[in-house]
Structure formats: C-alpha cells, structure tokens
Amino acid sequence: EAGVTQFPSHSVIEKGQTVTLRCDPISGHDNLYWYRRVMGKEIKFLLHFVKESKQDESGMPNNRFLAERTGGTYSTLKVQPAELEDSGVYFCASSLGSYNSPLHFGNGTRLTVT
Amino acid sequence: ILNVEQSPQSLHVQEGDSTNFTCSFPSSNFYALHWYRWETAKSPEALFVMTLNGDEKKKGRISATLNTKEGYSYLYIKGSQPEDSATYLCARRRDDKIIFGKGTRLHILP
C-alpha cells in the first residue's frame, strides 16, 4: 500500500509569492489532516478534512491559507501571499477515521520564504 | 492542564538502561491518546493508540500505560538501544482535532 505522499518536498519562494502544497493520502482514508512545524517547535494543527468537508479549520493562521480537498481524494494547501513567518515544514497525515485510528504521516514539505 | 504536555523535554540515557517519560493531558472529554516516534529527517510513525483507562500496550521493548481519570500516559523503553534515539510525541484527540505535545527528545549514549 502506498503511503501518504506530499509534493514538493522542498519549496523556496519569495515573500509575496504564492505556493501550493499537495498531499495524497492513503487510498481509502477519509480523514486528512494538515500540520506545520515552525522553527523546530511542536507540530501545530492546521485543519482536518473528512472526505471533502472541512471538519475543523481552527488552526489555520489567517486567510492567506486556503486548503481544499475536491472529490475527497488529494488535498492542496495554498499560501497566498506568503510571508516570512510561513516558513516551516508542512505535514499531511491521513487516517481511516475512527477515533482510535493512528495518523499516517507524509514526509512533509519544507517551505522557505525569503 | 489545558494542552498536551510532555516531560522531560530532553533525556540522555545510557545504552542498555531502561527509561520512561510522561504525557499529561486534559482528562475531560477524552477520546484517545496517541504515541508517535519521530526520527530525524523522517516523518512521525505511530506506536500506540490508547482509548481505555488502564490500557497497557506493548511493541517489542516499548510499552505504554494510560490513566484517563488523572490525565496521564507513560511510555517505557526497556534496555535502550541506539536506534531508540528519536523524539517521542504524544497526541490527544479533542473533538475533531488531534493535538500534539512538544515531544521528548531521547538520546541514547553508547
């Protein structure tokens, strides 16, 4: 079974530009989560999809961040316009959905905003 | 406790010694407690998901216990090996979020 895949693995952009991160969850996993780790700190929750619906997006820092999951398969996270403080590692994780299901993480996208 | 808290933040253990560390969490509205192992340059990997008070789970030399009434979980590593060096994360499901602690960074000394 293929794991969670994220693209790109690294992205370097200038302040004010737009970047779109993609996450392909494990096939059949309805639950998809986005997290980010900034400056080596803890993993912070961004949002949670169940299929194509946003269950909780309370962790999204501001309206420069937009996440979508059209069709309930892959998800994208767009940052527009990017700011310096958006730099960090963005992780995607998926799970089968029951509350006792573990998260399966992708390898993350390292975003650097210069 | 409002959030997931882990202690200690960092730990150095001699190879062959056993060790344990703690995850504390709000005990109200409890659903599940997760433990993950995160090696440098990799992504977190699930160790355990625990749901019931008094639960004990084991995977090889690693085991975990859960007390949902007082809001804590212990992770134990028996006979530490170099490959155990990693950050150990615990996470608590709260409503539709899974919230992580800051982790315990474990260093195994040869």
Side-chain angles (χ1 to χ4, degrees):
Chain A
E1 150 184 283
V4 177
T5 57
Q6 292 187 245
F7 182 84
S9 57
H10 294 84
S11 180
V12 181
I13 61 172
E14 293 182 354
K15 177 182 171 181
Q17 290 186 320
T18 297
V19 63
T20 300
L21 314 181
R22 174 172 169 143
C23 170
D24 286 77
I26 292 173
S27 178
H29 281 196
D30 288 340
N31 287 259
L32 188 149
Y33 300 81
W34 283 99
Y35 290 88
R36 76 171 176 178
R37 191 185 195 205
V38 175
M39 295 291 290
K41 295 184 179 179
E42 70 266 34
I43 295 177
K44 290 277 198 181
F45 170 84
L46 294 178
L47 86 159
H48 170 206
F49 283 100
V50 176
K51 296 184 180 179
E52 67 275 10
S53 299
K54 292 177 186 175
Q55 288 296 111
D56 189 324
E57 54 182 329
S58 61
M60 297 286 264
N62 51 59
N63 59 9
R64 295 185 294 103
F65 288 73
L66 176 64
E68 295 180 322
R69 193 183 181 194
T70 307
T73 54
Y74 71 91
S75 175
T76 58
L77 179 64
K78 180 190 287 188
V79 184
Q80 178 182 29
E83 298 289 344
L84 298 178
E85 64 264 26
D86 300 333
S87 296
V89 181
Y90 290 77
F91 287 100
C92 172
S94 70
S95 73
L96 273 175
S98 58
Y99 62 87
N100 60 351
S101 296
L103 298 183
H104 298 264
F105 281 84
N107 288 329
T109 293
R110 180 173 295 277
L111 175 64
T112 302
V113 183
T114 63
Chain B
I1 295 175
L2 298 177
N3 298 310
V4 178
E5 298 176 2
Q6 293 188 246
S7 63
Q9 184 176 352
S10 180
L11 188 57
H12 291 77
V13 174
Q14 203 69 40
E15 181 178 349
D17 287 352
S18 297
T19 187
N20 65 84
F21 27 93
T22 307
C23 173
S24 302
F25 51 87
S27 56
S28 60
N29 298 319
F30 178 82
Y31 292 97
L33 193 283
H34 298 223
W35 279 102
Y36 293 83
R37 182 168 174 274
W38 192 7
E39 290 182 75
T40 302
K42 295 187 178 180
S43 53
E45 292 184 356
L47 289 172
F48 308 112
V49 179
M50 308 171 78
T51 57
L52 299 175
N53 186 43
D55 231 357
E56 290 189 30
K57 295 212 172 181
K58 187 176 181 181
K59 183 183 289 188
R61 295 179 291 100
I62 303 177
S63 60
T65 60
L66 178 66
N67 183 321
T68 61
K69 293 183 179 179
E70 295 182 41
Y72 64 83
S73 175
Y74 294 133
L75 190 78
Y76 300 90
I77 301 179
K78 185 178 179 182
S80 302
Q81 298 298 309
E83 59 265 28
D84 296 330
S85 292
T87 296
Y88 291 82
L89 299 168
C90 75
R92 177 186 183 266
R93 185 186 175 99
R94 186 180 74 210
D95 300 325
D96 289 312
K97 307 186 207 18
I98 295 180
I99 306 297
F100 283 83
K102 295 182 179 181
T104 291
R105 183 75 178 94
L106 177 64
H107 306 263
I108 306 300
L109 306 172

